[in-house]
Amino acid sequence: MVIKNLFWAVFVVFVACALYFNRHENLFGSNEHMAVGKSLVWAAFVGFLAYSIYCSWHENLFKSIAKMAQLHWGRQVGIDLYIGLFLMLFIVYLNENSFLVLLFWFIPTILFGNLATLLYFAIHYDSILSKFLR
């Protein structure tokens, strides 16, 4: 129980820091023509966060990972997840062009998985899209 509470407390601190350090961004609005996408990303983040909290109340994460690690598909899904997370970290580096910013996002991405990547994408939606829509 203590570990679970510590995990979520660390996540709250991480989100607060990410929002604070990116306060210059238009966090919840967008001037771009694809503004509805930013709302969808924020909705995905909130929905996934709510479901993650729900799951943490009903099951022990470490026991679940131990069960999954015994299955071939469980290991494959874990490898697939972390390949995707490292690809997202590469996008963070390309978007920020800063090793320091990459380091800020590295540990939370490894610990919180796609909760961190969804948060990054929601915060930096406009700058990421602008690189693709040039």
Short mmCIF file of all heavy atoms in Angstrom, two decimals, residues 46-111:
data_model
loop_
_atom_site.label_atom_id
_atom_site.label_comp_id
_atom_site.label_asym_id
_atom_site.label_seq_id
_atom_site.Cartn_x
_atom_site.Cartn_y
_atom_site.Cartn_z
N VAL A 46 -6.29 11.62 -19.57
CA VAL A 46 -7.15 11.59 -18.38
C VAL A 46 -7.83 10.22 -18.25
O VAL A 46 -7.89 9.65 -17.16
CB VAL A 46 -8.18 12.74 -18.42
CG1 VAL A 46 -9.23 12.59 -17.33
CG2 VAL A 46 -7.46 14.08 -18.28
N GLY A 47 -8.34 9.69 -19.36
CA GLY A 47 -8.99 8.38 -19.31
C GLY A 47 -8.03 7.27 -18.92
O GLY A 47 -8.36 6.41 -18.10
N PHE A 48 -6.83 7.29 -19.50
CA PHE A 48 -5.84 6.27 -19.18
C PHE A 48 -5.35 6.41 -17.74
O PHE A 48 -5.13 5.41 -17.05
CB PHE A 48 -4.68 6.35 -20.17
CG PHE A 48 -3.74 5.19 -20.10
CD1 PHE A 48 -4.18 3.88 -20.21
CD2 PHE A 48 -2.38 5.40 -19.93
CE1 PHE A 48 -3.31 2.81 -20.15
CE2 PHE A 48 -1.49 4.34 -19.86
CZ PHE A 48 -1.96 3.04 -19.97
N LEU A 49 -5.22 7.64 -17.28
CA LEU A 49 -4.84 7.88 -15.89
C LEU A 49 -5.91 7.33 -14.94
O LEU A 49 -5.60 6.63 -13.97
CB LEU A 49 -4.62 9.37 -15.63
CG LEU A 49 -4.33 9.78 -14.19
CD1 LEU A 49 -3.07 9.10 -13.67
CD2 LEU A 49 -4.22 11.30 -14.10
N ALA A 50 -7.17 7.62 -15.24
CA ALA A 50 -8.27 7.13 -14.40
C ALA A 50 -8.29 5.60 -14.38
O ALA A 50 -8.44 4.99 -13.31
CB ALA A 50 -9.60 7.68 -14.90
N TYR A 51 -8.10 4.98 -15.54
CA TYR A 51 -8.11 3.52 -15.59
C TYR A 51 -6.89 2.95 -14.86
O TYR A 51 -6.99 1.92 -14.18
CB TYR A 51 -8.16 3.02 -17.03
CG TYR A 51 -8.31 1.53 -17.12
CD1 TYR A 51 -9.44 0.90 -16.62
CD2 TYR A 51 -7.30 0.74 -17.67
CE1 TYR A 51 -9.57 -0.48 -16.67
CE2 TYR A 51 -7.43 -0.63 -17.73
CZ TYR A 51 -8.57 -1.24 -17.24
OH TYR A 51 -8.69 -2.60 -17.28
N SER A 52 -5.74 3.60 -14.96
CA SER A 52 -4.54 3.15 -14.26
C SER A 52 -4.73 3.21 -12.75
O SER A 52 -4.32 2.29 -12.03
CB SER A 52 -3.33 3.98 -14.68
OG SER A 52 -3.08 3.83 -16.05
N ILE A 53 -5.35 4.27 -12.27
CA ILE A 53 -5.63 4.38 -10.83
C ILE A 53 -6.61 3.29 -10.41
O ILE A 53 -6.43 2.64 -9.38
CB ILE A 53 -6.14 5.79 -10.49
CG1 ILE A 53 -5.01 6.82 -10.69
CG2 ILE A 53 -6.69 5.85 -9.08
CD1 ILE A 53 -5.46 8.26 -10.63
N TYR A 54 -7.64 3.08 -11.21
CA TYR A 54 -8.62 2.02 -10.93
C TYR A 54 -7.91 0.66 -10.83
O TYR A 54 -8.14 -0.10 -9.89
CB TYR A 54 -9.68 1.99 -12.03
CG TYR A 54 -10.62 0.82 -11.96
CD1 TYR A 54 -11.72 0.85 -11.11
CD2 TYR A 54 -10.40 -0.32 -12.74
CE1 TYR A 54 -12.59 -0.24 -11.04
CE2 TYR A 54 -11.25 -1.40 -12.67
CZ TYR A 54 -12.34 -1.36 -11.81
OH TYR A 54 -13.19 -2.44 -11.74
N CYS A 55 -7.03 0.38 -11.80
CA CYS A 55 -6.30 -0.89 -11.79
C CYS A 55 -5.41 -1.02 -10.56
O CYS A 55 -5.31 -2.10 -9.97
CB CYS A 55 -5.46 -1.03 -13.06
SG CYS A 55 -6.43 -1.28 -14.55
N SER A 56 -4.79 0.09 -10.16
CA SER A 56 -3.89 0.02 -9.00
C SER A 56 -4.66 -0.24 -7.71
O SER A 56 -4.09 -0.76 -6.76
CB SER A 56 -3.04 1.29 -8.89
OG SER A 56 -3.78 2.37 -8.39
N TRP A 57 -5.93 0.12 -7.66
CA TRP A 57 -6.76 -0.18 -6.48
C TRP A 57 -7.17 -1.64 -6.44
O TRP A 57 -7.42 -2.19 -5.37
CB TRP A 57 -8.02 0.66 -6.48
CG TRP A 57 -7.82 2.10 -6.10
CD1 TRP A 57 -6.77 2.66 -5.45
CD2 TRP A 57 -8.72 3.17 -6.38
NE1 TRP A 57 -6.95 4.01 -5.31
CE2 TRP A 57 -8.15 4.35 -5.87
CE3 TRP A 57 -9.95 3.25 -7.03
CZ2 TRP A 57 -8.75 5.59 -5.97
CZ3 TRP A 57 -10.55 4.49 -7.13
CH2 TRP A 57 -9.97 5.64 -6.60
N HIS A 58 -7.25 -2.28 -7.61
CA HIS A 58 -7.78 -3.64 -7.67
C HIS A 58 -6.73 -4.73 -7.80
O HIS A 58 -7.04 -5.90 -7.55
CB HIS A 58 -8.79 -3.74 -8.83
CG HIS A 58 -10.06 -3.01 -8.54
ND1 HIS A 58 -10.21 -1.67 -8.76
CD2 HIS A 58 -11.22 -3.45 -8.02
CE1 HIS A 58 -11.41 -1.30 -8.40
NE2 HIS A 58 -12.06 -2.36 -7.94
N GLU A 59 -5.54 -4.38 -8.24
CA GLU A 59 -4.50 -5.40 -8.39
C GLU A 59 -3.14 -4.82 -8.04
O GLU A 59 -2.90 -3.63 -8.22
CB GLU A 59 -4.46 -5.92 -9.83
CG GLU A 59 -5.65 -6.78 -10.17
CD GLU A 59 -5.44 -7.55 -11.46
OE1 GLU A 59 -4.30 -7.99 -11.72
OE2 GLU A 59 -6.41 -7.70 -12.20
N ASN A 60 -2.27 -5.70 -7.60
CA ASN A 60 -0.89 -5.33 -7.30
C ASN A 60 -0.09 -5.36 -8.60
O ASN A 60 -0.02 -6.40 -9.28
CB ASN A 60 -0.30 -6.30 -6.28
CG ASN A 60 1.10 -5.95 -5.90
OD1 ASN A 60 2.00 -5.94 -6.73
ND2 ASN A 60 1.30 -5.67 -4.62
N LEU A 61 0.50 -4.24 -8.97
CA LEU A 61 1.25 -4.13 -10.22
C LEU A 61 2.38 -5.14 -10.29
O LEU A 61 2.57 -5.81 -11.30
CB LEU A 61 1.81 -2.70 -10.37
CG LEU A 61 2.73 -2.45 -11.56
CD1 LEU A 61 1.96 -2.63 -12.86
CD2 LEU A 61 3.35 -1.08 -11.48
N PHE A 62 3.14 -5.29 -9.22
CA PHE A 62 4.30 -6.17 -9.24
C PHE A 62 3.90 -7.64 -9.35
O PHE A 62 4.56 -8.42 -10.05
CB PHE A 62 5.19 -5.92 -8.02
CG PHE A 62 5.71 -4.51 -7.98
CD1 PHE A 62 5.24 -3.61 -7.04
CD2 PHE A 62 6.64 -4.08 -8.90
CE1 PHE A 62 5.70 -2.30 -7.01
CE2 PHE A 62 7.11 -2.77 -8.89
CZ PHE A 62 6.64 -1.88 -7.94
N LYS A 63 2.80 -8.03 -8.70
CA LYS A 63 2.32 -9.41 -8.83
C LYS A 63 1.81 -9.66 -10.25
O LYS A 63 2.02 -10.73 -10.80
CB LYS A 63 1.21 -9.68 -7.81
CG LYS A 63 1.71 -9.81 -6.39
CD LYS A 63 0.57 -10.09 -5.43
CE LYS A 63 1.07 -10.16 -3.99
NZ LYS A 63 -0.03 -10.36 -3.03
N SER A 64 1.16 -8.66 -10.82
CA SER A 64 0.67 -8.80 -12.20
C SER A 64 1.82 -8.93 -13.19
O SER A 64 1.77 -9.74 -14.11
CB SER A 64 -0.22 -7.61 -12.58
OG SER A 64 -1.36 -7.58 -11.78
N ILE A 65 2.86 -8.12 -13.00
CA ILE A 65 4.03 -8.20 -13.89
C ILE A 65 4.71 -9.56 -13.75
O ILE A 65 5.13 -10.15 -14.74
CB ILE A 65 5.01 -7.04 -13.60
CG1 ILE A 65 4.39 -5.71 -14.06
CG2 ILE A 65 6.36 -7.27 -14.28
CD1 ILE A 65 5.20 -4.48 -13.67
N ALA A 66 4.79 -10.06 -12.52
CA ALA A 66 5.40 -11.38 -12.30
C ALA A 66 4.62 -12.47 -13.03
O ALA A 66 5.21 -13.37 -13.64
CB ALA A 66 5.48 -11.68 -10.81
N LYS A 67 3.29 -12.40 -13.00
CA LYS A 67 2.46 -13.37 -13.73
C LYS A 67 2.67 -13.23 -15.24
O LYS A 67 2.81 -14.23 -15.95
CB LYS A 67 0.98 -13.16 -13.42
CG LYS A 67 0.56 -13.60 -12.04
CD LYS A 67 -0.93 -13.32 -11.85
CE LYS A 67 -1.35 -13.45 -10.42
NZ LYS A 67 -2.76 -13.06 -10.22
N MET A 68 2.69 -11.99 -15.71
CA MET A 68 2.87 -11.76 -17.15
C MET A 68 4.24 -12.22 -17.62
O MET A 68 4.39 -12.73 -18.74
CB MET A 68 2.68 -10.28 -17.49
CG MET A 68 1.25 -9.83 -17.42
SD MET A 68 1.06 -8.07 -17.75
CE MET A 68 1.93 -7.85 -19.28
N ALA A 69 5.26 -12.05 -16.79
CA ALA A 69 6.62 -12.41 -17.17
C ALA A 69 6.78 -13.91 -17.36
O ALA A 69 7.73 -14.35 -18.01
CB ALA A 69 7.61 -11.90 -16.12
N GLN A 70 5.86 -14.70 -16.85
CA GLN A 70 5.92 -16.15 -17.01
C GLN A 70 5.38 -16.58 -18.37
O GLN A 70 5.60 -17.72 -18.79
CB GLN A 70 5.13 -16.83 -15.90
CG GLN A 70 5.71 -16.62 -14.53
CD GLN A 70 4.82 -17.16 -13.43
OE1 GLN A 70 3.76 -17.73 -13.68
NE2 GLN A 70 5.24 -16.98 -12.18
N LEU A 71 4.66 -15.70 -19.05
CA LEU A 71 4.04 -16.03 -20.33
C LEU A 71 4.85 -15.45 -21.49
O LEU A 71 5.36 -14.33 -21.41
CB LEU A 71 2.62 -15.45 -20.38
CG LEU A 71 1.68 -15.85 -19.24
CD1 LEU A 71 0.41 -15.04 -19.31
CD2 LEU A 71 1.38 -17.34 -19.31
N HIS A 72 4.94 -16.21 -22.56
CA HIS A 72 5.66 -15.71 -23.74
C HIS A 72 5.05 -14.40 -24.24
O HIS A 72 5.77 -13.44 -24.52
CB HIS A 72 5.66 -16.75 -24.87
CG HIS A 72 6.49 -17.94 -24.57
ND1 HIS A 72 7.87 -17.90 -24.52
CD2 HIS A 72 6.14 -19.22 -24.28
CE1 HIS A 72 8.34 -19.09 -24.22
NE2 HIS A 72 7.31 -19.92 -24.07
N TRP A 73 3.73 -14.35 -24.35
CA TRP A 73 3.08 -13.13 -24.83
C TRP A 73 3.22 -12.00 -23.81
O TRP A 73 3.30 -10.84 -24.18
CB TRP A 73 1.61 -13.37 -25.16
CG TRP A 73 1.44 -13.93 -26.53
CD1 TRP A 73 1.00 -15.18 -26.85
CD2 TRP A 73 1.72 -13.27 -27.76
NE1 TRP A 73 1.00 -15.34 -28.21
CE2 TRP A 73 1.44 -14.18 -28.80
CE3 TRP A 73 2.21 -12.02 -28.11
CZ2 TRP A 73 1.60 -13.87 -30.14
CZ3 TRP A 73 2.37 -11.71 -29.45
CH2 TRP A 73 2.07 -12.63 -30.45
N GLY A 74 3.27 -12.31 -22.55
CA GLY A 74 3.48 -11.29 -21.53
C GLY A 74 4.84 -10.63 -21.69
O GLY A 74 4.97 -9.41 -21.62
N ARG A 75 5.88 -11.45 -21.94
CA ARG A 75 7.22 -10.90 -22.17
C ARG A 75 7.26 -10.11 -23.48
O ARG A 75 7.87 -9.05 -23.56
CB ARG A 75 8.26 -12.01 -22.16
CG ARG A 75 8.46 -12.63 -20.77
CD ARG A 75 9.64 -13.58 -20.74
NE ARG A 75 9.47 -14.73 -21.60
CZ ARG A 75 8.95 -15.90 -21.23
NH1 ARG A 75 8.52 -16.07 -19.99
NH2 ARG A 75 8.86 -16.89 -22.09
N GLN A 76 6.57 -10.61 -24.51
CA GLN A 76 6.56 -9.93 -25.79
C GLN A 76 5.88 -8.57 -25.66
O GLN A 76 6.37 -7.57 -26.19
CB GLN A 76 5.83 -10.78 -26.85
CG GLN A 76 5.98 -10.28 -28.26
CD GLN A 76 5.03 -9.16 -28.64
OE1 GLN A 76 4.02 -8.93 -27.99
NE2 GLN A 76 5.37 -8.45 -29.70
N VAL A 77 4.78 -8.50 -24.93
CA VAL A 77 4.08 -7.23 -24.73
C VAL A 77 4.97 -6.26 -23.95
O VAL A 77 5.01 -5.07 -24.26
CB VAL A 77 2.72 -7.47 -24.01
CG1 VAL A 77 2.13 -6.18 -23.50
CG2 VAL A 77 1.75 -8.17 -24.94
N GLY A 78 5.69 -6.74 -22.96
CA GLY A 78 6.61 -5.89 -22.21
C GLY A 78 7.73 -5.35 -23.08
O GLY A 78 8.06 -4.15 -23.02
N ILE A 79 8.31 -6.21 -23.91
CA ILE A 79 9.37 -5.76 -24.82
C ILE A 79 8.80 -4.74 -25.80
O ILE A 79 9.40 -3.69 -26.05
CB ILE A 79 9.99 -6.96 -25.57
CG1 ILE A 79 10.78 -7.83 -24.59
CG2 ILE A 79 10.89 -6.48 -26.71
CD1 ILE A 79 11.17 -9.18 -25.15
N ASP A 80 7.63 -5.02 -26.34
CA ASP A 80 6.97 -4.12 -27.28
C ASP A 80 6.71 -2.76 -26.64
O ASP A 80 6.95 -1.71 -27.25
CB ASP A 80 5.65 -4.74 -27.76
CG ASP A 80 4.93 -3.89 -28.76
OD1 ASP A 80 5.52 -3.58 -29.82
OD2 ASP A 80 3.77 -3.52 -28.49
N LEU A 81 6.25 -2.77 -25.40
CA LEU A 81 5.99 -1.52 -24.68
C LEU A 81 7.26 -0.68 -24.58
O LEU A 81 7.26 0.51 -24.91
CB LEU A 81 5.45 -1.81 -23.27
CG LEU A 81 5.41 -0.60 -22.32
CD1 LEU A 81 4.36 0.41 -22.79
CD2 LEU A 81 5.16 -1.04 -20.90
N TYR A 82 8.35 -1.30 -24.15
CA TYR A 82 9.57 -0.52 -23.94
C TYR A 82 10.24 -0.10 -25.24
O TYR A 82 10.86 0.95 -25.29
CB TYR A 82 10.51 -1.25 -22.98
CG TYR A 82 10.01 -1.03 -21.57
CD1 TYR A 82 9.19 -1.97 -20.95
CD2 TYR A 82 10.27 0.16 -20.92
CE1 TYR A 82 8.67 -1.72 -19.69
CE2 TYR A 82 9.76 0.41 -19.66
CZ TYR A 82 8.96 -0.53 -19.05
OH TYR A 82 8.44 -0.28 -17.81
N ILE A 83 10.08 -0.87 -26.31
CA ILE A 83 10.56 -0.40 -27.62
C ILE A 83 9.80 0.87 -27.99
O ILE A 83 10.38 1.86 -28.42
CB ILE A 83 10.40 -1.49 -28.70
CG1 ILE A 83 11.41 -2.60 -28.46
CG2 ILE A 83 10.56 -0.89 -30.10
CD1 ILE A 83 11.20 -3.82 -29.35
N GLY A 84 8.48 0.86 -27.81
CA GLY A 84 7.66 2.04 -28.10
C GLY A 84 8.03 3.23 -27.22
O GLY A 84 8.07 4.37 -27.69
N LEU A 85 8.32 2.97 -25.96
CA LEU A 85 8.70 4.06 -25.06
C LEU A 85 10.03 4.69 -25.47
O LEU A 85 10.18 5.91 -25.45
CB LEU A 85 8.77 3.57 -23.61
CG LEU A 85 7.44 3.13 -23.00
CD1 LEU A 85 7.67 2.58 -21.59
CD2 LEU A 85 6.43 4.25 -22.97
N PHE A 86 10.98 3.85 -25.88
CA PHE A 86 12.26 4.40 -26.33
C PHE A 86 12.11 5.17 -27.64
O PHE A 86 12.79 6.17 -27.85
CB PHE A 86 13.33 3.31 -26.43
CG PHE A 86 13.91 2.94 -25.09
CD1 PHE A 86 13.60 1.73 -24.50
CD2 PHE A 86 14.73 3.83 -24.41
CE1 PHE A 86 14.11 1.40 -23.24
CE2 PHE A 86 15.25 3.51 -23.15
CZ PHE A 86 14.94 2.29 -22.58
N LEU A 87 11.22 4.71 -28.50
CA LEU A 87 10.94 5.49 -29.72
C LEU A 87 10.33 6.84 -29.37
O LEU A 87 10.67 7.86 -29.97
CB LEU A 87 10.00 4.71 -30.65
CG LEU A 87 10.63 3.52 -31.37
CD1 LEU A 87 9.56 2.72 -32.10
CD2 LEU A 87 11.71 3.98 -32.33
N MET A 88 9.46 6.86 -28.38
CA MET A 88 8.87 8.13 -27.95
C MET A 88 9.94 9.04 -27.35
O MET A 88 9.93 10.26 -27.57
CB MET A 88 7.74 7.89 -26.95
CG MET A 88 7.04 9.14 -26.49
SD MET A 88 6.29 10.05 -27.86
CE MET A 88 5.93 11.59 -27.04
N LEU A 89 10.86 8.48 -26.60
CA LEU A 89 11.95 9.29 -26.05
C LEU A 89 12.80 9.88 -27.17
O LEU A 89 13.30 11.00 -27.06
CB LEU A 89 12.80 8.47 -25.08
CG LEU A 89 12.16 8.20 -23.73
CD1 LEU A 89 12.93 7.14 -22.96
CD2 LEU A 89 12.02 9.48 -22.93
N PHE A 90 12.96 9.14 -28.26
CA PHE A 90 13.68 9.67 -29.42
C PHE A 90 12.91 10.86 -30.01
O PHE A 90 13.52 11.88 -30.37
CB PHE A 90 13.88 8.57 -30.46
CG PHE A 90 14.63 9.01 -31.68
CD1 PHE A 90 15.95 9.42 -31.59
CD2 PHE A 90 14.01 9.02 -32.91
CE1 PHE A 90 16.65 9.83 -32.72
CE2 PHE A 90 14.69 9.42 -34.05
CZ PHE A 90 16.01 9.83 -33.96
N ILE A 91 11.60 10.76 -30.05
CA ILE A 91 10.79 11.89 -30.53
C ILE A 91 10.92 13.08 -29.58
O ILE A 91 11.00 14.23 -30.04
CB ILE A 91 9.31 11.46 -30.70
CG1 ILE A 91 9.20 10.50 -31.88
CG2 ILE A 91 8.39 12.66 -30.89
CD1 ILE A 91 7.85 9.85 -32.05
N VAL A 92 10.98 12.83 -28.29
CA VAL A 92 11.21 13.91 -27.32
C VAL A 92 12.52 14.61 -27.65
O VAL A 92 12.59 15.84 -27.70
CB VAL A 92 11.22 13.38 -25.87
CG1 VAL A 92 11.72 14.44 -24.89
CG2 VAL A 92 9.84 12.89 -25.46
N TYR A 93 13.57 13.83 -27.88
CA TYR A 93 14.87 14.43 -28.19
C TYR A 93 14.81 15.23 -29.50
O TYR A 93 15.32 16.35 -29.58
CB TYR A 93 15.96 13.37 -28.27
CG TYR A 93 17.30 13.97 -28.61
CD1 TYR A 93 18.02 14.68 -27.65
CD2 TYR A 93 17.81 13.87 -29.88
CE1 TYR A 93 19.23 15.26 -27.95
CE2 TYR A 93 19.03 14.46 -30.20
CZ TYR A 93 19.73 15.15 -29.23
OH TYR A 93 20.93 15.73 -29.55
N LEU A 94 14.17 14.67 -30.52
CA LEU A 94 14.06 15.39 -31.79
C LEU A 94 13.26 16.68 -31.65
O LEU A 94 13.59 17.70 -32.24
CB LEU A 94 13.42 14.50 -32.86
CG LEU A 94 14.25 13.32 -33.35
CD1 LEU A 94 13.44 12.49 -34.34
CD2 LEU A 94 15.56 13.78 -33.96
N ASN A 95 12.20 16.63 -30.85
CA ASN A 95 11.35 17.80 -30.67
C ASN A 95 12.04 18.88 -29.84
O ASN A 95 11.93 20.06 -30.13
CB ASN A 95 10.02 17.40 -30.02
CG ASN A 95 9.03 18.54 -29.99
OD1 ASN A 95 8.73 19.13 -31.03
ND2 ASN A 95 8.53 18.84 -28.82
N GLU A 96 12.76 18.48 -28.82
CA GLU A 96 13.38 19.43 -27.89
C GLU A 96 14.80 19.81 -28.30
O GLU A 96 15.28 20.88 -27.92
CB GLU A 96 13.41 18.84 -26.48
CG GLU A 96 12.06 18.47 -25.93
CD GLU A 96 11.20 19.66 -25.63
OE1 GLU A 96 11.71 20.79 -25.49
OE2 GLU A 96 9.97 19.46 -25.53
N ASN A 97 15.48 18.89 -28.98
CA ASN A 97 16.89 19.09 -29.34
C ASN A 97 17.73 19.39 -28.10
O ASN A 97 18.59 20.26 -28.11
CB ASN A 97 17.05 20.17 -30.40
CG ASN A 97 18.37 20.06 -31.12
OD1 ASN A 97 18.99 18.99 -31.11
ND2 ASN A 97 18.83 21.14 -31.72
N SER A 98 17.41 18.67 -27.01
CA SER A 98 18.09 18.90 -25.75
C SER A 98 18.23 17.59 -24.98
O SER A 98 17.23 16.93 -24.69
CB SER A 98 17.30 19.90 -24.89
OG SER A 98 17.78 19.91 -23.57
N PHE A 99 19.46 17.24 -24.69
CA PHE A 99 19.71 16.04 -23.90
C PHE A 99 19.20 16.19 -22.48
O PHE A 99 18.73 15.24 -21.88
CB PHE A 99 21.21 15.72 -23.92
CG PHE A 99 21.53 14.37 -23.37
CD1 PHE A 99 21.19 13.22 -24.07
CD2 PHE A 99 22.17 14.24 -22.15
CE1 PHE A 99 21.48 11.97 -23.55
CE2 PHE A 99 22.46 12.99 -21.62
CZ PHE A 99 22.11 11.85 -22.34
N LEU A 100 19.25 17.40 -21.94
CA LEU A 100 18.77 17.67 -20.58
C LEU A 100 17.26 17.42 -20.47
O LEU A 100 16.79 16.80 -19.52
CB LEU A 100 19.11 19.10 -20.17
CG LEU A 100 18.83 19.48 -18.73
CD1 LEU A 100 19.60 18.59 -17.77
CD2 LEU A 100 19.18 20.93 -18.49
N VAL A 101 16.50 17.89 -21.45
CA VAL A 101 15.05 17.66 -21.45
C VAL A 101 14.76 16.16 -21.61
O VAL A 101 13.87 15.62 -20.95
CB VAL A 101 14.35 18.48 -22.55
CG1 VAL A 101 12.88 18.13 -22.65
CG2 VAL A 101 14.53 19.97 -22.30
N LEU A 102 15.54 15.49 -22.46
CA LEU A 102 15.38 14.05 -22.61
C LEU A 102 15.57 13.34 -21.27
O LEU A 102 14.79 12.45 -20.92
CB LEU A 102 16.38 13.52 -23.64
CG LEU A 102 16.42 11.99 -23.79
CD1 LEU A 102 15.13 11.47 -24.38
CD2 LEU A 102 17.61 11.59 -24.63
N LEU A 103 16.57 13.75 -20.51
CA LEU A 103 16.81 13.14 -19.20
C LEU A 103 15.65 13.39 -18.24
O LEU A 103 15.31 12.52 -17.44
CB LEU A 103 18.11 13.66 -18.59
CG LEU A 103 19.39 13.16 -19.25
CD1 LEU A 103 20.61 13.82 -18.61
CD2 LEU A 103 19.49 11.65 -19.18
N PHE A 104 15.03 14.60 -18.32
CA PHE A 104 13.88 14.90 -17.47
C PHE A 104 12.73 13.92 -17.75
O PHE A 104 12.04 13.51 -16.82
CB PHE A 104 13.40 16.34 -17.70
CG PHE A 104 12.13 16.66 -16.98
CD1 PHE A 104 12.14 16.97 -15.63
CD2 PHE A 104 10.90 16.65 -17.63
CE1 PHE A 104 10.97 17.26 -14.94
CE2 PHE A 104 9.72 16.94 -16.95
CZ PHE A 104 9.76 17.24 -15.60
N TRP A 105 12.55 13.54 -19.00
CA TRP A 105 11.45 12.66 -19.38
C TRP A 105 11.82 11.18 -19.32
O TRP A 105 10.92 10.32 -19.32
CB TRP A 105 10.95 13.02 -20.78
CG TRP A 105 10.14 14.28 -20.76
CD1 TRP A 105 10.60 15.55 -20.97
CD2 TRP A 105 8.75 14.41 -20.47
NE1 TRP A 105 9.57 16.45 -20.83
CE2 TRP A 105 8.43 15.77 -20.52
CE3 TRP A 105 7.75 13.50 -20.16
CZ2 TRP A 105 7.15 16.26 -20.30
CZ3 TRP A 105 6.47 13.97 -19.94
CH2 TRP A 105 6.18 15.33 -20.00
N PHE A 106 13.10 10.85 -19.26
CA PHE A 106 13.54 9.46 -19.34
C PHE A 106 12.98 8.60 -18.20
O PHE A 106 12.30 7.60 -18.44
CB PHE A 106 15.07 9.37 -19.38
CG PHE A 106 15.58 7.97 -19.44
CD1 PHE A 106 15.59 7.29 -20.65
CD2 PHE A 106 16.03 7.31 -18.31
CE1 PHE A 106 16.05 5.99 -20.73
CE2 PHE A 106 16.48 6.00 -18.37
CZ PHE A 106 16.50 5.34 -19.59
N ILE A 107 13.29 8.95 -16.97
CA ILE A 107 12.88 8.11 -15.83
C ILE A 107 11.35 8.04 -15.70
O ILE A 107 10.80 6.95 -15.53
CB ILE A 107 13.56 8.56 -14.52
CG1 ILE A 107 15.06 8.26 -14.63
CG2 ILE A 107 12.95 7.88 -13.30
CD1 ILE A 107 15.88 8.72 -13.47
N PRO A 108 10.63 9.16 -15.79
CA PRO A 108 9.17 9.05 -15.74
C PRO A 108 8.59 8.17 -16.86
O PRO A 108 7.64 7.42 -16.62
CB PRO A 108 8.68 10.49 -15.88
CG PRO A 108 9.81 11.30 -15.36
CD PRO A 108 11.05 10.57 -15.79
N THR A 109 9.20 8.22 -18.03
CA THR A 109 8.71 7.38 -19.13
C THR A 109 8.94 5.91 -18.82
O THR A 109 8.06 5.07 -19.06
CB THR A 109 9.39 7.78 -20.46
OG1 THR A 109 9.04 9.14 -20.75
CG2 THR A 109 8.94 6.89 -21.60
N ILE A 110 10.10 5.59 -18.26
CA ILE A 110 10.39 4.19 -17.90
C ILE A 110 9.47 3.74 -16.76
O ILE A 110 8.96 2.63 -16.77
CB ILE A 110 11.87 4.03 -17.52
CG1 ILE A 110 12.78 4.38 -18.71
CG2 ILE A 110 12.16 2.62 -17.02
CD1 ILE A 110 12.48 3.64 -19.99
N LEU A 111 9.22 4.60 -15.77
CA LEU A 111 8.39 4.23 -14.62
C LEU A 111 6.89 4.22 -14.94
O LEU A 111 6.18 3.31 -14.52
CB LEU A 111 8.62 5.21 -13.47
CG LEU A 111 9.94 5.12 -12.73
CD1 LEU A 111 10.03 6.21 -11.68
CD2 LEU A 111 10.11 3.75 -12.11
#
